[in-house]
Amino acid sequence: MATIPSIAMIPSGVKASKLYSVLPTDGTGDFTTTRASVATRVNENGLIEEVAANVPRLDYSDGTCPSLLLEPASTNFLTNSSEFTGTLINSSVLRDVELSPTGVLSADKLSDDSALGEHLINSTVTLSMTIGTSYTFSSFFKADGTSGRAVIRLFDGLAYQYSSFNLDAGTVAYSSLGDSKIEAYSNGWYRCSISFTATATSSNPPVQLGIANASNQFSYQGASNLSYYFWGVQYEQNSYATSLINTVATAQTRVADTATGSGNSTVINSTEGVLYGEISNIENDADPSWINISDGNVNNWLFIGKEGNNLRAYLRANNSVIFDQVATRADSNKIALSYKSGDIRLYVNGVQIIAVTDAFSFTAPLNQLNFGSYNGGVTTTKASWKSVQVYTTALSDSELTTLTTI
């Protein structure tokens, strides 16, 4: 492509309250970031680390290239997240015997005994649960060579539900709910989760970690030969697992990320242009994650990003919706909206989704680039942004194809 973007954000340089853009070089494209709490990320060495409040998170979960990780607020209601504690049933725990996903010797080992029955830890932390509300229970697990399968078990309000995870194969071996996930981390670790919607209100629903045998049974005749490592437990009011929120004596909340204030009317063209983004690690929930150009008001703005289970592109001018299109999304997506009166085109992953000839005119200069809504509202779902670019001219079909091809 010969055309050069006027704004190019490829996550690389950060400091407190600032995310640097590669272009323009005068700082006009830099974003102001806020998050009034610490938060965690995966660093370039594949290890989980905590970053200070307001520092943007360059996350390396996808591999060698960083992404800007944006998440909504969430609370970990389980205390002592690095050491899940509670009542031991036909099991034992050895503390701090394995390197955790932080690279520190802080992971524990859960082992069964020779008894017939369930083999688990039952948390003694007092929790609450409201009917119709989504929750997710997650933990990090690592195989120790004994073929012990990790079990996450919880009470959904009416019945116990559980999932079993094969830590040797890296698969969900069994799930009574069907909404379970296993994600690979470095050094043999997996993050496993089970998400559910409460079927009744409960003042203290149990949550448990257990050991399962090869038949995915956590109630079995033990032989004191199954075990695994565990670390980093989290119970949150959310339909998916967000990044780890470290706790000690009390529940802790990670505040939502914001990234706003990039651009001005010189590097953003109100007559024609292209808004492009590459987005991955998107969660399946009803909430959006957008990058947008606007004048700071609802009457004139356009955005691209994720909404629900789809991608969405939108353009509003003079308080009228001119363009609103959804497209199927993949695990990783490159999406570009080219806008010019009489020529609006949407490309996703190298394919033109639609082209329309509707005329429009913005009634105020477009002068800002924000994550979230037209006025820089908070992120409402988890997503990782690998790149964001703005062009001051509408690109050709061949340029848009090249730009968005995975």
Side-chain angles (χ1 to χ4, degrees), residues 5-8 18-31 261-268:
S6 58
I7 300 176
K18 190 65 67 174
L19 170 67
Y20 296 112
S21 291
V22 177
L23 294 174
T25 57
D26 63 0
T28 303
D30 297 345
F31 290 85
S262 171
N264 58 29
S265 57
T266 300
V267 292
I268 301 173

Side-chain angles (χ1 to χ4, degrees), residues 40-49 58-61 185:
T40 59
R41 66 160 186 159
V42 176
N43 66 21
E44 57 269 32
N45 297 314
L47 300 175
I48 295 175
E49 68 176 13
L58 300 190
D59 186 81
Y60 289 78
S61 296
Y185 279 68

Side-chain angles (χ1 to χ4, degrees), residues 122 153-162 176 205-208 218:
N122 183 48
R153 190 182 188 220
L154 50 85
F155 188 70
D156 69 3
L158 294 178
Y160 278 96
Q161 307 286 352
Y162 79 97
S176 63
V207 291
Q208 304 166 340
F218 61 92

Side-chain angles (χ1 to χ4, degrees), residues 188-205:
W189 282 96
Y190 293 96
R191 193 183 194 192
C192 302
S193 62
I194 180 170
S195 302
F196 68 101
T197 300
T199 55
T201 297
S202 176
S203 60
N204 191 20

Side-chain angles (χ1 to χ4, degrees), residues 78-85 233 247-250:
L78 286 175
T79 58
N80 296 312
S81 59
S82 65
E83 295 190 343
F84 187 71
T85 58
V233 292
T247 64
V248 182
T250 61

Side-chain angles (χ1 to χ4, degrees), residues 336-358:
L337 178 61
S338 180
Y339 63 94
K340 183 178 181 181
S341 183
D343 179 16
I344 306 172
R345 287 165 289 147
L346 174 64
Y347 275 73
V348 174
N349 296 340
V351 177
Q352 185 184 94
I353 303 302
I354 192 173
V356 299
T357 58
D358 298 63

Side-chain angles (χ1 to χ4, degrees), residues 36-378:
S37 69
V38 298
T40 59
R41 66 160 186 159
V42 176
N43 66 21
E44 57 269 32
N45 297 314
L47 300 175
I48 295 175
E49 68 176 13
E50 200 166 72
V51 299
N54 297 321
V55 175
R57 287 180 286 168
L58 300 190
D59 186 81
Y60 289 78
S61 296
D62 279 355
T64 58
C65 296
S67 299
L68 174 65
L69 176 60
L70 300 174
E71 293 184 294
S74 192
T75 299
N76 185 359
F77 295 101
L78 286 175
T79 58
N80 296 312
S81 59
S82 65
E83 295 190 343
F84 187 71
T85 58
T87 303
L88 291 168
I89 300 174
N90 300 325
S91 62
S92 61
V93 173
L94 293 176
R95 300 292 182 186
D96 303 334
V97 293
E98 177 68 9
L99 295 177
S100 75
T102 65
V104 176
L105 191 67
S106 58
D108 304 332
K109 185 175 185 177
L110 178 65
S111 303
D112 69 359
D113 64 14
S114 59
L116 172 63
E118 300 174 345
H119 304 265
L120 52 84
I121 307 174
N122 183 48
S123 174
T124 53
V125 176
T126 300
L127 302 171
S128 62
M129 191 170 64
T130 303
I131 187 172
T133 302
S134 296
Y135 298 88
T136 295
F137 182 26
S138 60
S139 179
F140 289 84
F141 298 112
K142 182 179 180 179
D144 67 350
T146 66
S147 297
R149 296 188 175 182
V151 169
I152 291 177
R153 190 182 188 220
L154 50 85
F155 188 70
D156 69 3
L158 294 178
Y160 278 96
Q161 307 286 352
Y162 79 97
S163 293
S164 173
F165 303 91
N166 186 330
L167 303 178
D168 296 310
T171 59
V172 178
Y174 170 82
S175 180
S176 63
L177 280 179
D179 194 8
S180 300
K181 182 184 292 186
I182 183 167
E183 300 172 280
Y185 279 68
S186 63
N187 302 322
W189 282 96
Y190 293 96
R191 193 183 194 192
C192 302
S193 62
I194 180 170
S195 302
F196 68 101
T197 300
T199 55
T201 297
S202 176
S203 60
N204 191 20
V207 291
Q208 304 166 340
L209 297 185
I211 303 171
N213 58 21
S215 299
N216 300 312
Q217 300 166 325
F218 61 92
S219 181
Y220 59 90
Q221 177 61 61
S224 301
N225 64 350
L226 296 179
S227 55
Y228 60 74
Y229 301 111
F230 69 97
W231 177 87
V233 292
Q234 188 154 301
Y235 183 87
E236 55 190 313
Q237 185 179 314
N238 214 331
S239 61
Y240 56 88
T242 66
S243 61
L244 179 67
I245 303 168
N246 293 316
T247 64
V248 182
T250 61
Q252 295 294 324
T253 297
R254 180 198 60 249
V255 180
D257 300 284
T258 66
T260 60
S262 171
N264 58 29
S265 57
T266 300
V267 292
I268 301 173
N269 191 340
S270 301
T271 303
E272 63 175 293
V274 172
L275 175 60
Y276 163 83
E278 182 178 357
I279 182 173
S280 63
N281 286 344
I282 316 171
E283 295 296 338
N284 279 322
D285 68 343
D287 296 322
S289 182
W290 301 329
I291 182 73
N292 79 85
I293 295 172
S294 77
D295 66 348
N297 294 285
V298 71
N299 292 346
N300 300 286
W301 69 305
L302 57 122
F303 69 74
I304 56 173
K306 174 262 184 187
E307 185 166 309
N309 291 326
N310 297 307
L311 298 175
R312 186 181 177 196
Y314 175 96
L315 188 152
R316 186 183 189 95
N318 193 19
N319 203 27
S320 295
V321 177
I322 308 300
F323 183 87
D324 192 354
Q325 180 70 35
V326 298
T328 302
R329 68 177 178 86
D331 292 335
S332 184
N333 307 269
K334 293 184 177 181
I335 178 172
L337 178 61
S338 180
Y339 63 94
K340 183 178 181 181
S341 183
D343 179 16
I344 306 172
R345 287 165 289 147
L346 174 64
Y347 275 73
V348 174
N349 296 340
V351 177
Q352 185 184 94
I353 303 302
I354 192 173
V356 299
T357 58
D358 298 63
F360 68 91
S361 177
F362 294 114
T363 54
L366 303 179
N367 57 13
Q368 53 190 275
L369 176 67
N370 297 311
F371 288 94
S373 62
Y374 61 89
N375 58 0
V378 299

